[in-house]
Amino acid sequence: MSAAHDHHDAHGDIGYHATLKGYATGFVLSVILTAIPFWLVMAKVLPPDATKFIILGFAAVQVVVHMIYFLHMNAKVEGGWSMLALVFTAIVVVVMLAGSIWVMYHMNANMMPVDPHAMRNMP
Amino acid sequence: MSSSSSTLTATGAAPVFYDNGDHHPEGSTLLGFWMYLMSDCLIFAVLFATFAVLGRSYAAGPSGADLFDLPLVAVNTGLLLFSSITYGFAMIAMQHGKVKHLLAWLAVTGLFGLGFLSIELFEFSHLIHEGAGPQRSAFLSSFFTLVGTHGLHVTFGILWLVTLMFQVRKLGLTFENKRRLVCLSMFWHFLDVVWIGVFTFVYLMGVL
């Protein structure tokens, strides 16, 4: 694409290739993906529940954009091992987040109501 | 010594190396650093999960809607985003071997990072001054831990950045320095990715 892509320095290749076009694309996309959620929340365009799902969707897309354009992630980096580590981490993170929220929500919902007077005297 | 096999036949007593290093490319540092980032990601995941569980436990204290100043958070998000692209420009300057450009863009990145930190510290001191410190409620404890850990990462990122600026000035664009710059670029962009989660999950959803 550009000269940056073909450039190999005398000290050897460090296996990293940034391009101006890639960074510019990533930056424009992430500005858009940041501005819309802030606008949705600050201008109160939609009901809160709908806004919640939409901004979570925008965040997920923006994470992918950053991964591709800023962190230069693809299936070929380090022979695929980076991607494998990323997928493994993503699975662990999803299990940890979803599991914590799920379990703790149900614990709160199924907890026996505590008398406020008794709670005040608890150790 | 021409090659290991000829030495072997010549003396018959030379050690045999089964590992000649062919399958150990220099790039493994980057993979190792990526592994570190992934484990760091797990630290943040735990803090996010803690915030998800405790984030609505206000203990009759202030909620996110009462406390958070979204325009300020928007400015902070912008600063971090700008610092990401200026680091990108620094990396492009590095690829072209332009040391002066590289140092200038690194300095700009560091200034954006400092701006981000200043606003965050201002926000924290403002909250603590209002009596909404980390000890006020479970929500605020988890908030300060999560956002504070991110801020601490940015602080160390800036220290690392300044260190590398001195390294590049002193030693030039050696292979090692380039490798370090690439590692810091991954670290810096990774912090931006974490911040996406923070502003969405903590600030925006906190005021909804």
Side-chain angles (χ1 to χ4, degrees):
Chain A
M1 178 171 36
S2 64
H5 225 81
D6 310 315
H7 182 79
H8 285 254
D9 53 279
H11 301 287
D13 192 11
I14 42 167
Y16 179 92
H17 295 287
T19 59
L20 190 60
K21 198 183 165 194
Y23 267 108
T25 315
F27 180 71
V28 170
L29 282 176
S30 35
V31 167
I32 295 168
L33 291 166
T34 306
I36 293 175
F38 268 95
W39 170 70
L40 282 176
V41 173
M42 286 162 89
K44 297 191 174 64
V45 189
L46 296 166
D49 279 336
T51 313
K52 207 174 283 181
F53 280 105
I54 294 172
I55 62 174
L56 280 177
F58 271 102
V61 175
Q62 200 182 345
V63 167
V64 175
V65 165
H66 278 237
M67 285 283 172
I68 294 173
Y69 291 104
F70 290 165
L71 283 161
H72 310 291
M73 180 48 54
N74 60 51
K76 280 174 282 185
V77 180
E78 307 288 349
W81 287 105
S82 295
M83 184 58 102
L84 193 70
L86 178 64
V87 170
F88 175 69
T89 311
I91 292 172
V92 173
V93 167
V94 167
V95 168
M96 202 144 62
L97 280 175
S100 302
I101 294 168
W102 184 33
V103 169
M104 296 311 285
Y105 174 77
H106 279 265
M107 275 182 70
N108 277 338
N110 297 325
M111 197 73 106
M112 263 180 24
V114 181
D115 174 25
H117 182 72
M119 196 152 73
R120 211 167 297 136
N121 296 329
M122 271 189 206
Chain B
M1 197 190 294
S2 57
S3 76
S4 55
S5 55
S6 65
T7 345
L8 257 175
T9 44
T11 61
V16 183
F17 297 109
Y18 294 103
D19 181 7
N20 59 2
D22 278 348
H23 59 271
H24 187 74
E26 225 345 289
S28 56
T29 305
L30 297 185
L31 179 60
F33 194 74
W34 182 253
M35 294 293 172
Y36 155 69
L37 286 183
M38 291 299 102
S39 60
D40 219 13
C41 195
L42 294 183
I43 293 180
F44 280 109
V46 171
L47 294 176
F48 271 112
T50 311
F51 185 82
V53 170
L54 300 175
R56 304 272 164 181
S57 309
Y58 302 123
S63 70
D66 303 324
L67 294 173
F68 296 150
D69 184 9
L70 279 191
L72 201 66
V73 180
V75 170
N76 238 357
T77 307
L79 285 177
L80 213 55
L81 214 55
F82 272 115
S83 81
S84 255
I85 188 149
T86 53
Y87 202 104
F89 292 150
M91 293 310 285
I92 290 165
M94 180 197 86
Q95 285 178 345
H96 290 287
K98 292 176 179 160
V99 177
K100 268 188 182 168
H101 283 76
L102 168 67
L103 289 175
W105 283 119
L106 284 181
V108 173
T109 309
L111 287 177
F112 275 128
L114 273 183
F116 172 86
L117 266 187
S118 320
I119 292 182
E120 190 163 290
L121 286 175
F122 165 75
E123 188 199 13
F124 278 7
S125 68
H126 185 66
L127 289 178
I128 292 168
H129 187 69
E130 279 187 324
Q135 75 278 28
R136 180 61 189 84
S137 62
F139 152 64
L140 283 163
S141 305
S142 54
F143 166 80
F144 273 95
T145 315
L146 172 56
V147 182
T149 306
H150 179 270
L152 207 61
H153 275 76
V154 175
T155 312
F156 281 105
I158 293 171
L159 281 177
W160 188 3
L161 189 135
V162 173
T163 314
L164 278 188
M165 283 175 74
F166 278 102
Q167 288 266 355
V168 171
R169 266 184 62 174
K170 197 172 159 65
L171 304 170
L173 275 178
T174 59
F175 176 80
E176 286 76 16
N177 274 344
K178 285 186 177 180
R179 195 185 58 212
R180 290 163 188 152
L181 285 164
V182 172
C183 284
L184 179 58
S185 102
M186 295 203 288
F187 186 73
W188 200 260
H189 293 315
F190 168 76
L191 290 183
D192 209 2
V193 173
V194 173
W195 185 253
I196 299 171
V198 173
F199 80 71
T200 305
F201 203 62
V202 176
Y203 288 102
L204 291 182
M205 284 173 72
V207 301
L208 276 177

